[in-house]
Amino acid sequence: MRILGIETSCDETAAAVVSRTPDGEPVIESNIIFSQVEEHAAFGGVVPEIAARAHLSVLDKVVQMALDEADCTLDEIDGIAATAGPGLIGGLMVGLMTAKALSAAGGKPFIGINHLEGHALTARLTDGLQFPYLLLLVSGGHSQILCVKGLGDYERWSTTIDDAAGELFDKTAKLLGLPFPGGPNVERAARNGDPKRFPLSLPLRGQDTLNMSFSGLKTAVRQTAERLAPLENQDVNDICAALQETVGRIFEERCRQAIEKFNDVSQAKDGGSLVVAGGVASNSHIRQVLADLCEDAGWQLVAPPAILCTDNAAMIAWAALERLERGESSPLDLAPRSRWPLDEESATVIGAGRRGAKV
Ligand code: KG4
Ligand code: ZN
């Protein structure tokens, strides 16, 4: 089976062709990502209207590039997938309409995919990971720990109660005058910083919860920056290092608790697998913290390559492949969803399940 996937939920216009060989091996035949970073940079965040127009103007070309690189034609594609949510409605509509049109014209099944499911299943594409596993999903709109029990069977064990971790990186960067997008620039600055100079306290400390909170850190960073203004380069580096280290400690603590819970629930004797996914998962300090935690716990850390952690269409094509193999597809009147939690049963928490403009 060979799937064309399209991703347009935020500020990346992406298309990919993914297949499974007859002996079951997943193959990424192409993975084209056209970033809109330059178009949003002047605004310090993603502007929904600009994003939708930019998707519209390049998507056809990006799809053609994905087919060319995979050296195949639409005739050789078995299904067409697009992200149906959560995300910015304008962008989602562009991707969905394109996928639906290609599906109708070519008589191929169409399937709308949850962007978060794409992130959640990436480790099965890259590492052939078996269910169940724990997933730390940390992106610009989400910070969650999920128990991934099977395809479509997700239990949310932890979420942010306010901002997402990626949002914290982006807002900190903006406040410190670092260019958009924030995450990679904060990481770069942190490399030359001293994480001990500005100790930041851990949010929700001592509370009986697996949830996370990041908005207090944003305030602490702002107050520190205001106190020091005007900021020298070293101040910026030190604040970034402190922030990155504190976020790492939050993930470490919450994942440790989740691992204990997983071990209790599953009564597993040999360790399980922790997957880290989403844009923030491309941060090397955070990967290292999680690798050390897993080593301690006798668990395996599965961290897909950074290019498959940030938004891409290979993950959408893969999720579609798994669902189509199970005989599923979507109707051509499927509507985009700005909000679409992976675990529909879980209680709504402000800040969780939201993915949208980062301005
Ligand atoms: O998954 P993603 O590409 O898009 C969303 O689904 O939101 O994640 C983007 C987020 C942004 O907030 C970005 O600043 C953050 O991931 N990010 C990082 C790094 N690279 C991207 N955060 C920290 N360190 C990084 N190296
Ligand atoms: Zn994402």
Side-chain angles (χ1 to χ4, degrees):
M1 189 176 279
R2 180 189 268 150
I3 308 297
L4 168 68
I6 292 174
E7 156 63 36
T8 54
S9 65
C10 197
D11 58 344
E12 249 89 39
T13 313
V17 175
V18 167
S19 59
R20 198 201 278 283
T21 61
D23 53 3
E25 282 300 306
V27 182
I28 300 176
E29 298 191 34
S30 64
N31 187 25
I32 308 293
I33 304 171
F34 186 86
S35 169
Q36 301 176 0
V37 162
E38 280 169 22
E39 301 184 51
H40 300 286
F43 304 93
V46 179
V47 183
E49 179 65 15
I50 293 179
R53 284 169 191 271
H55 287 308
L56 193 57
S57 65
V58 298
L59 185 54
D60 283 359
K61 212 179 302 162
V62 169
V63 167
Q64 191 57 54
M65 284 167 77
L67 291 171
D68 289 349
E69 195 172 302
D71 201 16
C72 72
T73 62
L74 265 183
D75 281 348
E76 294 164 294
I77 295 286
D78 301 305
I80 297 170
T83 304
L88 299 171
I89 285 292
L92 292 171
M93 283 168 65
V94 173
L96 280 179
M97 289 312 295
T98 305
K100 288 173 182 178
L102 291 173
S103 142
K108 316 274 178 185
F110 155 74
I111 185 156
I113 293 294
N114 183 321
H115 177 88
L116 303 174
E117 180 166 79
H119 282 304
L121 300 179
T122 301
R124 292 172 55 75
L125 165 66
T126 55
D127 293 75
L129 193 62
Q130 299 297 309
F131 298 121
Y133 51 87
L134 275 183
L135 168 72
L136 173 67
L137 176 56
V138 279
S139 67
H142 293 89
S143 297
Q144 307 185 341
I145 300 173
L146 294 132
C147 181
V148 180
K149 296 157 91 179
L151 180 60
D153 189 3
Y154 312 106
E155 235 175 64
R156 197 191 70 202
W157 285 4
S158 165
T159 180
T160 173
I161 56 167
D162 39 57
D163 293 351
E167 205 176 342
L168 171 65
F169 276 96
D170 292 336
K171 286 180 176 165
T172 298
K174 199 169 178 180
L175 191 106
L176 298 177
L178 296 173
F180 174 79
N185 287 304
V186 170
E187 178 172 9
R188 212 164 292 132
R191 261 180 230 141
N192 303 314
D194 170 10
K196 303 271 174 286
R197 182 168 156 215
F198 304 113
L200 298 168
S201 52
L202 283 185
L204 305 177
R205 195 100 243 210
Q207 291 186 34
D208 183 21
T209 179
L210 257 154
N211 283 342
M212 300 174 264
S213 165
F214 297 100
S215 74
L217 286 176
K218 183 180 61 190
T219 310
V221 164
R222 182 171 45 74
Q223 287 167 342
T224 308
E226 282 169 2
R227 191 159 43 79
L228 294 171
L231 296 175
E232 304 285 335
N233 272 350
Q234 195 55 49
D235 299 330
V236 170
N237 295 345
D238 293 344
I239 293 174
C240 289
L243 178 86
Q244 184 177 268
E245 194 191 63
T246 309
V247 173
R249 283 170 63 205
I250 295 172
F251 292 158
E252 182 188 5
E253 196 170 290
R254 290 303 184 247
C255 289
R256 190 187 300 280
Q257 289 168 285
I259 285 175
E260 280 165 16
K261 179 170 168 176
F262 188 99
N263 285 341
D264 275 358
V265 175
S266 66
Q267 298 191 328
K269 297 213 172 46
D270 324 317
S273 302
L274 172 68
V275 175
V276 60
V280 182
S282 52
N283 183 291
S284 356
H285 170 75
I286 288 169
R287 283 175 177 243
Q288 191 54 53
V289 165
L290 296 171
D292 293 345
L293 166 68
C294 284
E295 200 183 329
D296 249 24
W299 271 46
Q300 174 200 14
L301 177 71
V302 181
I307 192 72
L308 295 173
C309 281
T310 46
D311 289 350
N312 65 87
M315 68 179 190
I316 302 303
W318 174 255
L321 187 144
E322 291 218 41
R323 286 197 173 263
L324 285 162
E325 278 179 346
R326 215 166 64 169
E328 297 177 28
S329 64
S330 306
L332 283 181
D333 62 355
L334 182 80
R337 291 177 64 174
S338 59
R339 200 180 165 282
W340 185 1
L342 267 186
D343 177 355
E344 303 257 17
E345 313 272 287
S346 57
T348 302
V349 177
I350 299 166
R354 194 166 50 90
R355 181 163 185 276
K358 294 170 196 155
V359 181

